Amino acid sequence: MKPTRRSVMAAGAAVSAFTIVPSSVLAQAAKKKRATFPEKEQLPPSERVNLGFIGAGGRAVGSLKECMHHNIHTLCDVDAMRAAEAFSHFTAAKRYDDWRVMLEKEAKHLDGVVVTTPDHSHAVATMAAMQLGLAVYTEKPLTRTISEARLLADYARKNRIVTQMGNQGHALDQSRMAVEWIQSGALGEVKEVHCWTNRPIWPQGIVRPPAEPVPATMNWDVWLGPAPEKPYSSKIAPFNWRGFWDYGAGALGDMAAHIMDHPVWALELGPPEQVEVAYERRDPASAGDTFPVSTVVTYRFGARGDKPPVTLKWFDGKNSVPWPEGLEEGRTLAKDGGIIYYGSKHDMLQSCYGKSPRIFPETEMQRMAPELKRIPASLPRAKGLHHEEWIQAIKANDPSMAKSGFDYSGPLTETMLLGCVAIRVGAGTRLAWDSKNMKTDNDEANRYVEHEYRKGWSL
């Protein structure tokens, strides 16, 4: 059942606003974190939008920096200490520790909401905000499960909600230029793509750590949200949750939105037809709790019109991408991640976030440079201002202006998460994917396509 304004208000009625933490404690915590918010002049009042943040610490700090020339009207975080930097800087913002209460009390004052919670709460918070008519910017991955991504994209499209997923490289001029190169035919037919990342940089392949007392400054019940009711551990929250099935989507969920995004976009790949996974799990007991430490995921996409089928391989953890033939000795591959396109005419590298597109070997890049410069710019340039692109779409009430809106990022998330489903089933799993009916050919896998919600938190 989808939440309505009434259900959101009812859920929040029994929960109080933010836990009171002495300002001196917040100030000390903010100082310890070395407050980093730059001084920025606000726009004229007529040009500002009112924003609420569901999540005010961690990743939210980067989003706040990008949006702080607008009105930061409301901040919500379950962890007062982690959010201390934002609370201490944005002193005029109203504070909450339960986003349901925040939406109940503040929705009428807001134009948009930025959701930067852990993955497992993205969908419920995003849907609730959209059902109140608010524009939403939600961090990647858009959701933790495929069924949630489909529901959010369908709702946003039917109701013309302005949306954006936080895959910031989608707004880089370099990445949009690379799309134009590929779609112009500069590489010829691309039939194989390799993607890699240095993630995970958090624990995976481990069993759940022992329970600890919940800190007095943390609302653990709301942190859990729709996830199963389990005890708190400082080894899970606030940062190391990504590797746990209950809360995150592993390396694929964290970085495929920044890396796979570009070939999916440029090659117009659509849903995959098959996915296959290989990995090693050193501790079999960890299979019930966390992702393995390293994976190789192979996606197979069908032909699209006159475009050929594509095989896309994903490498993470200890798995290194095969060294590309033709790349000169002495060159390096980006340590944090990147992409290799193998075309019938030319091969090309991109680094993480779609940066630095470069045909290789370098002699070919130099030879092709004049031709590449003549390729017309068919995509609008956002100068890397991913949040601002969303805000301009809010002002114009035009969802199409946000280029990673849920119409695009929802299907991208489904593709990413299909790999997570295969990983959950086990090493050696091969799945055929029926995107229209949102089913695989494996009954166990189909359990992980759908989302199970804790009572009181259903989407």
Side-chain angles (χ1 to χ4, degrees):
M1 186 177 79
K2 297 178 182 178
T4 62
R5 177 174 173 81
R6 180 173 296 181
S7 67
V8 170
M9 292 174 70
V15 189
S16 62
F18 207 89
T19 303
I20 301 299
V21 181
S23 58
S24 59
V25 174
L26 290 179
Q28 289 176 2
K31 186 176 181 180
K32 188 175 181 181
K33 285 175 174 285
R34 297 177 62 192
T36 56
F37 287 104
E39 292 299 323
K40 282 189 177 180
E41 289 187 16
Q42 282 198 324
L43 294 168
S46 61
E47 296 182 31
R48 300 177 207 162
V49 297
N50 284 355
L51 300 176
F53 277 70
I54 300 177
R59 171 60 202 143
V61 171
S63 289
L64 282 162
K65 289 178 182 177
E66 295 298 323
C67 298
M68 60 188 295
H69 50 301
H70 293 278
N71 289 334
I72 308 303
H73 183 275
T74 310
L75 295 173
C76 177
D77 203 293
V78 300
D79 187 341
M81 296 302 288
R82 187 161 173 80
E85 181 182 353
F87 289 162
S88 295
H89 186 87
F90 298 100
T91 54
K94 296 184 179 181
R95 299 194 336 241
Y96 294 87
D97 73 344
D98 188 326
W99 58 264
R100 298 167 299 176
V101 182
M102 172 189 136
L103 290 177
E104 174 202 343
K105 295 182 179 296
E106 307 297 341
K108 62 181 176 288
H109 303 299
L110 300 175
D111 300 301
V113 170
V114 179
V115 178
T116 63
T117 64
D119 301 351
H120 67 285
S121 291
H122 284 183
V124 289
T126 298
M127 181 65 87
M130 289 198 299
Q131 290 188 322
L132 294 170
L134 296 172
V136 187
Y137 179 109
T138 302
E139 265 301 340
K140 52 74 198 170
L142 182 58
T143 60
R144 197 188 67 80
T145 56
I146 292 172
S147 62
E148 292 179 315
R150 184 71 59 91
L151 283 168
L152 292 192
D154 286 349
Y155 189 90
R157 181 175 58 257
K158 290 174 184 175
N159 293 278
R160 295 198 75 254
I161 305 291
V162 174
T163 59
Q164 187 92 301
M165 183 176 78
N167 51 337
Q168 294 80 13
H170 205 83
L172 292 174
D173 289 359
Q174 294 174 47
S175 68
R176 296 188 179 185
M177 179 180 68
V179 169
E180 292 159 353
W181 290 2
I182 293 167
Q183 293 185 350
S184 76
L187 305 186
E189 288 190 335
V190 177
K191 297 182 180 180
E192 186 155 353
V193 179
H194 290 178
C195 299
W196 76 96
T197 180
N198 65 340
R199 268 43 167 206
I201 54 173
W202 50 82
Q204 291 187 179
I206 61 170
V207 297
R208 189 179 183 95
E212 300 174 41
V214 179
T217 56
M218 188 177 202
N219 188 331
W220 178 243
D221 182 67
V222 177
W223 190 96
L224 285 173
E229 189 168 355
K230 294 181 181 179
Y232 167 82
S233 169
S234 62
K235 294 182 179 179
I236 294 175
F239 178 74
N240 288 329
W241 49 266
R242 287 194 185 276
F244 288 81
W245 301 124
D246 289 340
Y247 315 123
L252 263 172
D254 186 45
M255 293 307 294
H258 294 312
I259 298 172
M260 277 175 54
D261 170 26
H262 304 284
V264 166
W265 184 14
L267 299 172
E268 300 175 304
L269 290 181
E273 294 180 344
Q274 291 183 338
V275 65
E276 184 175 354
V277 64
Y279 65 75
E280 294 181 10
R281 186 180 285 280
R282 290 189 290 271
D283 180 1
S286 69
D289 292 314
T290 57
F291 283 79
V293 293
S294 301
T295 59
V296 177
V297 183
T298 302
Y299 294 90
R300 303 191 191 283
F301 298 85
R304 292 91 57 225
D306 60 353
K307 298 181 178 69
V310 173
T311 297
L312 186 152
K313 286 183 171 287
W314 169 269
F315 302 84
D316 66 40
K318 71 176 184 180
N319 296 308
S320 299
V321 65
W323 187 261
E325 185 179 348
L327 189 63
E328 305 94 322
E329 193 172 331
R331 294 279 291 273
T332 58
L333 298 177
K335 291 182 179 180
D336 57 347
I339 311 149
I340 305 169
Y341 301 84
Y342 292 99
S344 58
K345 295 180 181 178
H346 298 286
D347 302 330
M348 190 177 83
L349 286 169
Q350 269 181 295
S351 58
C352 197
Y353 305 98
K355 295 179 180 178
S356 307
R358 202 82 183 165
I359 287 171
F360 66 89
E362 184 61 23
T363 52
E364 280 301 291
M365 181 66 203
Q366 296 300 325
R367 190 180 70 80
M368 285 289 294
E371 181 180 332
L372 296 174
K373 287 181 180 178
R374 290 194 293 270
I375 294 171
S378 58
L379 295 170
R381 297 303 193 251
K383 300 180 181 179
L385 300 176
H386 198 55
H387 295 78
E388 187 62 28
E389 184 177 68
W390 171 67
I391 289 170
Q392 292 304 317
I394 294 173
K395 291 180 177 181
N397 192 27
D398 183 356
S400 71
M401 291 173 61
K403 298 305 178 185
S404 195
F406 295 173
D407 259 357
Y408 171 81
S409 56
L412 171 63
T413 299
E414 290 187 31
T415 294
M416 293 156 48
L417 296 180
L418 183 62
C420 295
V421 169
I423 294 168
R424 185 73 186 268
V425 175
T429 295
R430 178 182 295 175
L431 303 175
W433 177 236
D434 177 355
S435 176
K436 181 179 179 181
N437 295 302
M438 216 164 56
K439 289 184 177 180
T440 75
D441 57 347
N442 182 302
D443 288 342
E444 183 183 357
N446 290 334
R447 289 173 47 207
Y448 305 126
V449 170
E450 299 288 338
H451 198 100
E452 293 184 14
Y453 298 90
R454 185 160 64 111
K455 187 177 179 180
W457 290 88
S458 61
L459 188 62

